[in-house]
Amino acid sequence: MCTFRRLLSGIALLALALALPAVGRAADGPVTVFAAASLRGALDEVVAGWRAAGGAPVRISYAGSSTLARQVERGAPADLFLSADVEWMDSLERGGHLVAGSRRDLLGNTLVLIAPRTAATGGDPLASAQAFAAALDDGRLAMARVATVPAGKYGRDALAHLGLWESAAPRVVEAEDVRQALMLVARGEAPLGVVYASDAQAEPRVRVVAGFPAGSHAPIVYPAAAVARRGAHPQARALLDWFAAPGAAAVFARHGFVLR
């Protein structure tokens, strides 16, 4: 069965490769992709497969979805945008910044609480306010910006749902994006952090100490779309299709993302 699935994935990727525009592959320069920071690693691998199949070079700019969306609004030359939540994509769509009909929900994720791998955290810190305070001790809680960055907003809502936000808020150290929050915990600068499950899987220096219930926050959805701009790369839509192909889906799943 696994061999059959790999064969199907290979056929799908070959079909996309054969469909790539043959004219101006090198002369058109790279396809510019703006992507949520949590996609780093997985998306790099997916793009490597695209390049191996003969696709155009790709330039990826990783940052918080809010930062990238604002850059698109100001006219940054992005061809594709991959967001970590629907609100920023909705904002761009309302503003006429997306190619009509190109938007699709690409991936999902889950939210987890992490600690340094060597830390002695016993029990479930999310079980009660007392357990959470004990796990945090006198340290800080690392999160992406809670007002704007998707991972931070999901985390704030989840902690509020569990009755923990009021006590946690004064202890939060906000990072520019979720990967920076991950690094604060990995380096031992914060005893706890709120990140995506895919982030925790990507960093061997942390471990998951608890998972947030799915109903404690809005569903985590990664929408992707082509950016409407003059001079867009002719292979942008083909690359967007590549991101949704079975071969790419297998890579994303292996990196801890939820397929949609």
Side-chain angles (χ1 to χ4, degrees), residues 171-197:
R171 310 288 293 280
V172 170
V173 55
E174 294 186 271
E176 289 295 324
D177 58 52
V178 69
R179 284 300 175 98
Q180 290 189 21
L182 177 70
M183 286 300 100
L184 289 173
V185 180
R187 294 193 298 259
E189 297 173 24
L192 294 176
V194 179
V195 300
Y196 297 124

Side-chain angles (χ1 to χ4, degrees), residues 43-131:
L43 191 60
D44 291 338
E45 186 174 338
V46 170
V47 165
W50 157 271
R51 290 288 289 133
V58 178
R59 179 192 299 118
I60 308 177
S61 178
Y62 291 109
S65 298
S66 56
T67 297
L68 297 172
R70 288 167 178 154
Q71 290 175 359
V72 171
E73 288 175 337
R74 292 194 290 266
D79 294 302
L80 301 177
F81 177 47
L82 280 64
S83 176
D85 78 345
V86 299
E87 291 183 7
W88 285 109
M89 193 68 84
D90 288 345
S91 177
L92 292 180
E93 190 166 33
R94 287 192 299 267
H97 298 286
L98 305 182
V99 175
S102 69
R103 178 175 173 174
R104 65 192 70 183
D105 288 343
L106 190 65
L107 300 166
N109 217 326
T110 55
L111 201 66
V112 297
L113 187 71
I114 59 169
R117 179 161 293 279
T118 57
T121 304
D124 181 358
L126 299 180
S128 67
Q130 293 76 16

Side-chain angles (χ1 to χ4, degrees), residues 157-245:
D157 293 347
L159 289 168
H161 179 85
L162 296 175
L164 301 174
W165 178 244
E166 186 174 347
S167 59
R171 310 288 293 280
V172 170
V173 55
E174 294 186 271
E176 289 295 324
D177 58 52
V178 69
R179 284 300 175 98
Q180 290 189 21
L182 177 70
M183 286 300 100
L184 289 173
V185 180
R187 294 193 298 259
E189 297 173 24
L192 294 176
V194 179
V195 300
Y196 297 124
S198 58
D199 297 308
Q201 182 174 313
E203 176 49 67
R205 293 175 293 174
V206 306
R207 61 186 177 90
V208 174
V209 294
F212 287 90
S216 65
H217 55 81
I220 300 172
V221 178
Y222 287 71
V227 177
R229 70 179 184 90
R230 186 174 300 174
H233 199 288
Q235 288 194 29
R237 291 295 293 270
L239 179 57
L240 184 59
D241 290 340
W242 186 273
F243 292 158

